[in-house]
Amino acid sequence: MERLDKYLTERGAGSRREVQRLIRSGAVSLNGTVCKKPDTKLDPQTGSVTVSGKNIDADKFIYIMMNKPAGVVSATKDNYDKTVIDILPEEFRRRNMFPAGRLDKDTEGLLIITNDGEFAHKMLSPSKKVYKQYEAELDGEVTDDTIYAFKKGIMFADGTKCMPAELNIPDKSRKNRAIVKICEGKFHQVKKMFAVCGLKVVHLKRISIGNLYLGSNLTIGCCKKLTKLDVESIFMGNIH
Ligand code: URA
């Protein structure tokens, strides 16, 4: 059982104070009846709550897919740049949301923003083998040697060894475009892996995480709420 004010705060209806004010004003109904006591207990699994007639999503956790634009940073706060949280539409906002993993400021594509720390940990842990695919445009052609080096596991200059990665050229007539598949998230990993092979990444976009794909419908800068099935698909097809 959970307190009504806590339940509403956790689901984005406002701060604890705002929510208590709302409840006392008579704007909140629990199972169809106006409830004016913030400390009323409800079963989060079965209780149905409305604020000013609008249903409150029963799920405590929210998972948002963003097609991250270049120029915003994957952080919750930044003194200089706009963050992915700053550009998150009002309807998707909850308390304590954060990007699950980072994309560089100039990288575009699939980013998940959530308030579920356990989920993020599982998705990002290399041992869980959740593969992330990136579309990379390079300043030169990818050779068989590059593909082989990725497959063997790239070693950075500081001795850090990357896990084996897959590199594919989707269009053999454009060998400066490659799809990279990795299950780690080291700082600037894809750019650094190509740099070891003498190539510079000129454009980078993440296109998938596990079996969840960005697709072509979500335009740059836009967001959508993921369904339970979408979230499950992230972990489908991996080894663990
Ligand atoms: N690898 C990079 O180099 N940059 C990113 O943003 C993501 C992966």
Side-chain angles (χ1 to χ4, degrees):
M1 299 295 272
E2 207 171 298
R3 278 177 64 121
L4 182 58
D5 54 0
K6 182 164 179 272
Y7 178 94
L8 282 169
T9 304
E10 281 179 344
R11 285 156 186 82
S15 69
R16 192 74 166 246
R17 268 210 186 152
E18 287 164 351
V19 158
Q20 288 177 343
R21 219 175 292 135
L22 267 174
I23 297 172
R24 291 199 183 96
S25 77
V28 177
S29 292
L30 171 58
N31 300 325
T33 308
V34 171
C35 177
K36 291 190 172 183
K37 285 190 175 161
D39 63 352
T40 305
K41 295 278 190 344
L42 77 146
D43 180 347
Q45 305 296 328
T46 58
S48 118
V49 181
T50 61
V51 175
S52 307
K54 246 180 81 187
N55 276 326
I56 293 294
D57 198 341
D59 294 327
K60 185 165 161 182
F61 295 125
I62 185 165
Y63 310 87
I64 303 300
M65 178 197 278
M66 176 183 282
N67 186 350
K68 178 194 168 296
V72 294
V73 293
S74 301
T76 49
K77 269 193 196 136
D78 194 275
N79 289 337
Y80 303 101
D81 293 303
K82 264 203 174 133
T83 72
V84 291
I85 300 298
D86 292 332
I87 64 164
L88 193 63
E90 195 62 42
E91 63 188 297
F92 300 133
R93 286 173 186 264
R94 298 284 187 282
R95 268 159 38 104
N96 302 326
M97 288 186 82
F98 61 92
R102 283 165 185 263
L103 291 178
D104 296 338
K105 185 175 165 185
D106 60 353
T107 301
E108 294 174 354
L110 174 49
L111 184 72
I112 296 175
I113 299 171
T114 184
N115 53 356
D116 184 350
E118 211 172 298
F119 156 83
H121 180 73
K122 188 172 162 199
M123 189 190 97
L124 298 170
S125 169
S127 68
K128 296 284 186 249
K129 293 259 187 324
V130 175
Y131 281 91
K132 287 101 191 167
Q133 292 194 87
Y134 296 84
E135 201 179 84
E137 208 179 301
L138 307 147
D139 69 344
E141 294 195 344
V142 171
T143 62
D144 288 345
D145 286 347
T146 320
I147 296 172
Y148 182 65
F150 272 54
K151 193 172 165 184
K152 259 190 12 192
I154 295 280
M155 171 102 79
F156 294 150
D158 66 0
T160 309
K161 180 104 198 271
C162 298
M163 289 166 83
E166 241 179 70
L167 191 52
N168 286 299
I169 313 295
D171 177 355
K172 300 289 178 254
S173 68
R174 288 180 66 194
K175 291 197 172 163
N176 66 331
R177 266 193 68 235
I179 305 289
V180 190
K181 192 171 171 183
I182 55 174
C183 65
E184 301 168 287
K186 297 186 197 303
F187 189 56
H188 297 325
Q189 181 159 352
V190 174
K191 291 173 186 164
K192 283 166 76 178
M193 285 167 84
F194 278 111
V196 168
C197 302
L199 290 165
K200 184 175 185 307
V201 174
V202 294
H203 185 249
L204 190 63
K205 177 180 175 180
R206 181 154 64 193
I207 55 171
S208 67
I209 301 178
N211 271 355
L212 180 71
Y213 283 75
L214 181 63
S216 54
N217 293 335
L218 197 65
T219 45
I220 293 184
C222 289
C223 291
K224 74 171 186 183
K225 188 171 170 224
L226 296 177
T227 63
K228 281 204 170 70
L229 215 63
D230 290 331
V231 175
E232 278 166 19
S233 72
I234 290 171
F235 302 104
M236 270 177 207
N238 59 354
I239 293 165
H240 296 277

